Amino acid sequence: MKAYIYIENDIFLSTKAFGEGGTFFGELVFNTSLTGYQEIISDPSYAGQFVIFSMPEIGIVGVNDEDNESKEVFASGIIIRELNEDYSNFRANNSLSTYLKKHGKIGLCEIDTRFLVKMIRDCGNLRAVISTEIKDKEELKKMLLSSAKIDEVNYVAQVSTKNSYKHSKGAWEHSKKAYENVKSIGKKVAVIDYGVKENILNELVSVGLEVEVFPYNTKAKELIDLYQKGKIHGVFLSNGPGEPKILKDEIVEIKKLAEAKIPMLGICLGHQLLSNAFGYETYKMKFGQHGANHPVINLANNTVEITAQNHNYNIPEEIAEVAIITHRNLFGDNVEGVRYKNYPIISVQHHPESSSGPHESKYIFKEFLELL
């Protein structure tokens, strides 16, 4: 299909589209991962965003039924240099184009992604509208200017589960072509779903935890009651999309959980919400950090971990007043992980479940287990 993209810095381009046709709005971000495009596309944290892949060849390994991070595709769409329709992988059962069409999302191809990545690097994240229906630049510009900005929309309400459920599946074992069968150690954790990735749930199960997932707007009182009755032993605050400060009610509930001294682990958005709950406001980065190759230094043992990242917001340096900074990102020296001084709470900005990405940070799930 012929497609047109208008970007808010007045760049207007025509190119080709695949997947679902229509008109789509979102914020442009780029991801530097070389592999794992299916996991990236199905990550709920990309809600409201167009993902530009810096890896030029996408679609080579197709898609399969095991690597999805959620049941839906919440990203607005994807932008790639070269689409490979003829996939080749023993695990694949469909093409990327068919996958996007099934989920009602658009993909752009045969476009200079290097130009787009450099543009975002220099200008910061920009909003865009992509259409296979409208080719008039001024009409697209008018539509984009009247559309909601990403920091004005509560995407968490869109991606979170509506009802609580139990998750018992462990991590995928490629050698056995099956999910890991793990025996519970009797510790239970409540996961607050702000847009949780399935592989985070799998990793929690893999360290021996019993996992129950709750909607994003679950009240602290409910979880505190469960904790006091011994029905849960801790709370996990998940990753998720959008501006953390828009979740004012959820920040208040997290503060109540912290005051109850419930052991907690926060990842990505959960990490940011904890900072806001302690009174240290998050800020938006120029173009965020998205990829599976970001170096992070663990300050406890002075070792470097290569991590998976996906975030546009970060917590401030002032968090050191109430927390020990445990990790720093070596690309920008920004705060990457903390352990709160007077609370059984730890949190990290990167994704230790490593999907997609290296496995060097998975120990964080074991640290959470020790807290419990």
Side-chain angles (χ1 to χ4, degrees):
M1 298 175 285
K2 190 77 172 176
Y4 303 87
I5 176 171
Y6 176 80
I7 306 170
E8 66 176 321
N9 62 350
D10 211 38
I11 296 289
F12 180 63
L13 304 168
S14 63
T15 184
K16 291 183 180 180
F18 61 100
E20 186 65 57
T23 302
F24 302 82
F25 298 86
E27 183 180 65
L28 296 172
V29 298
F30 64 85
N31 189 295
T32 57
S33 299
L34 300 181
T35 61
Y37 58 79
Q38 183 178 342
E39 293 96 321
I40 293 164
I41 295 168
S42 59
D43 181 352
S45 296
Y46 280 114
Q49 296 177 319
F50 293 114
V51 184
I52 304 167
F53 286 94
S54 62
M55 174 66 177
E57 299 278 344
I58 299 291
I60 303 168
V61 295
V63 296
N64 59 61
D65 295 330
E66 286 82 39
D67 291 346
N68 288 316
E69 291 294 347
S70 64
K71 294 179 181 178
E72 302 292 334
V73 171
F74 294 104
S76 298
I78 66 171
I79 302 174
I80 63 176
R81 176 67 187 92
E82 191 71 30
L83 172 66
N84 287 268
E85 284 280 31
D86 298 323
Y87 59 89
S88 177
N89 187 275
F90 72 98
R91 298 176 65 225
N93 55 19
N94 230 321
S95 70
L96 175 58
S97 180
T98 303
Y99 179 76
L100 284 185
K101 190 167 185 64
K102 174 186 174 182
H103 291 282
K105 295 302 168 72
I106 195 169
L108 291 189
C109 60
E110 298 188 24
I111 189 169
D112 188 349
T113 50
R114 186 177 179 85
F115 164 76
L116 294 175
V117 169
K118 290 170 71 176
M119 179 183 69
I120 294 171
R121 185 193 65 190
D122 296 338
C123 301
N125 291 126
L126 298 164
R127 291 190 298 148
V129 54
I130 294 174
S131 182
T132 59
E133 306 164 319
I134 302 165
K135 61 181 180 180
D136 182 73
K137 174 184 175 181
E138 292 306 314
E139 185 176 353
L140 289 173
K141 179 179 180 179
K142 184 178 178 181
M143 292 173 68
L144 180 63
L145 292 176
S146 63
S147 66
K149 296 180 180 179
I150 195 167
D151 55 4
E152 299 171 341
V153 180
N154 184 348
Y155 288 104
V156 168
Q158 299 177 20
V159 305
S160 178
T161 183
K162 301 298 184 283
N163 301 295
S164 61
Y165 64 92
K166 293 183 179 179
H167 183 92
S168 58
K169 193 167 60 177
W172 177 261
E173 293 185 286
H174 290 279
S175 60
K176 297 181 180 179
K177 299 181 182 179
Y179 289 99
E180 189 179 6
N181 187 15
V182 183
K183 185 177 180 180
S184 169
I185 62 169
K187 295 290 184 181
K188 302 174 184 177
V189 62
V191 173
I192 302 183
D193 177 16
Y194 302 117
V196 70
K197 294 171 68 177
E198 185 165 308
N199 271 295
I200 287 179
L201 301 178
N202 294 349
E203 292 297 335
L204 290 169
V205 172
S206 290
V207 295
L209 292 169
E210 294 178 29
V211 173
E212 185 167 0
V213 183
F214 291 81
Y216 78 101
N217 54 359
T218 300
K219 298 300 181 185
K221 185 180 185 304
E222 179 182 349
L223 299 178
I224 292 170
D225 287 345
L226 291 173
Y227 178 70
Q228 290 174 343
K229 293 175 182 177
K231 294 184 177 181
I232 64 170
H233 301 90
V235 172
F236 174 81
L237 308 176
S238 85
N239 63 293
E243 162 66 77
K245 287 186 287 188
I246 203 172
L247 301 172
K248 292 182 172 59
D249 293 339
E250 289 65 44
I251 290 169
V252 170
E253 298 303 314
I254 291 171
K255 186 176 181 179
K256 294 176 183 176
L257 293 173
E259 290 170 348
K261 296 295 179 78
I262 297 178
M264 285 194 281
L265 166 63
I267 287 179
C268 202
L269 180 59
H271 167 76
Q272 298 160 11
L273 291 173
L274 277 165
S275 179
N276 282 303
F278 276 89
Y280 297 86
E281 290 192 358
T282 47
Y283 63 93
K284 190 168 186 178
M285 306 174 78
K286 184 178 180 181
F287 49 80
Q289 294 169 323
H290 311 271
N293 46 14
H294 289 238
V296 166
I297 186 165
N298 182 330
L299 298 174
N301 54 25
N302 208 37
T303 59
V304 175
E305 305 162 17
I306 305 302
T307 68
Q309 305 262 347
N310 178 20
H311 60 104
N312 275 33
Y313 301 85
N314 215 327
I315 73 174
E317 292 291 330
E318 291 77 14
I319 196 69
E321 294 172 3
V322 295
I324 298 167
I325 297 174
T326 58
H327 299 77
R328 282 194 175 277
N329 189 301
L330 293 179
F331 276 165
D333 196 38
N334 44 284
V335 178
E336 193 71 28
V338 296
R339 179 183 290 270
Y340 286 86
K341 293 177 181 178
N342 299 313
Y343 300 84
I345 301 173
I346 56 176
S347 67
V348 292
Q349 184 59 71
H350 52 280
H351 283 251
E353 83 285 351
S354 70
S355 185
S356 60
H359 300 175
E360 298 172 20
S361 299
K362 285 190 176 184
Y363 66 85
I364 288 168
F365 294 104
K366 293 181 179 179
E367 287 191 358
F368 180 44
L369 182 63
E370 291 171 10
L371 273 184
L372 306 187

